[in-house]
Amino acid sequence: MFKVSEIIRTAPAEYGSELQKKVYETFEALGIPFERVDTDPGITMEDCLHIDEKIGVRIVKTIFLCNRQQTEFYLYVTTDDKPFVTRDFCGALGIPRVSFASAEKLMELTGVLVGATTILSAVLPQAAQVHLVMDKAVAGSEWFACTDGTATCFVKIRTADLLGKYLSGKTVIQI
């Protein structure tokens, strides 16, 4: 059975990464209320179904992409049930073909391991060069749920707080 804790409204007692610590410090500094659950490693979309049920909203799918030269990087946030179509993504942005970026670049630029990819990593200085792209359906939803930078903790906040406070001053392209 996949383990999902009860809802928690405080930061973890111990942090699993620098990003995780920065996420909760930023929530506190900006007055962003949140709910979170601790889980077994939530890697697959099937794992996320258990998490969705507990927190009452669907976990987003976040994909880390790059161009062929690995000079441009994109964090794409979409709904969990929407297939990723490279042609559509690139067409919407008017860019050449992209592919999945390496696990090494994911860690270097966003501070996370595969399975913990999150737009919340945008608070890290090294993530400043990563383009933030969000599906309009996600941007228009009331709630936003994703990893907190680890594959064992998922957080839920208002989408308005994400876009208006947490990502304030950053460009988020909606497609």
Side-chain angles (χ1 to χ4, degrees):
M1 179 80 179
F2 188 83
K3 178 192 92 131
V4 181
S5 74
E6 292 302 314
I7 300 290
I8 304 165
R9 292 179 177 85
T10 58
E14 295 181 22
Y15 296 108
S17 70
E18 280 302 310
L19 172 59
Q20 187 184 41
K21 180 179 179 189
K22 181 78 172 161
V23 163
Y24 291 102
E25 288 174 348
T26 303
F27 286 168
E28 183 177 341
L30 297 175
I32 298 175
F34 63 89
E35 293 182 348
R36 69 178 182 88
V37 290
D38 291 330
T39 68
D40 286 335
I43 306 298
T44 69
M45 293 317 292
E46 183 179 282
D47 296 339
C48 289
L49 292 176
H50 299 287
I51 302 163
D52 296 349
E53 188 177 309
K54 181 65 79 170
I55 63 175
V57 65
R58 293 175 81 163
I59 304 295
V60 297
K61 175 170 60 177
T62 306
I63 305 168
F64 188 57
L65 304 157
C66 67
N67 63 356
R68 181 183 300 185
Q69 298 81 12
Q70 295 188 33
T71 56
E72 297 290 325
F73 295 89
Y74 304 85
L75 263 178
Y76 177 45
V77 181
T78 187
T79 59
D80 65 335
D81 59 350
K82 186 173 186 177
F84 176 69
V85 180
T86 305
R87 178 180 58 247
D88 296 345
F89 179 84
C90 294
L93 295 178
I95 60 173
R97 186 172 172 87
V98 295
S99 59
F100 295 103
S102 70
E104 293 78 22
K105 278 292 185 187
L106 177 66
M107 176 54 86
E108 176 187 331
L109 296 176
T110 69
V112 299
L113 298 171
V114 172
T117 309
T118 179
I119 197 167
L120 299 178
S121 64
V123 298
L124 297 175
Q126 67 266 29
Q129 66 180 307
V130 177
H131 302 282
L132 306 176
V133 184
M134 186 176 286
D135 187 284
K136 287 181 182 177
V138 173
S141 63
E142 181 178 2
W143 295 101
F144 184 87
C146 64
T147 76
D148 68 355
T150 68
T152 57
C153 190
F154 291 77
V155 66
K156 171 183 159 183
I157 63 174
R158 290 195 176 280
T159 306
D161 285 341
L162 172 72
L163 297 173
K165 294 179 181 178
Y166 192 91
L167 298 175
S168 178
K170 300 187 184 314
T171 301
V172 179
I173 303 162
Q174 296 182 28
I175 60 172

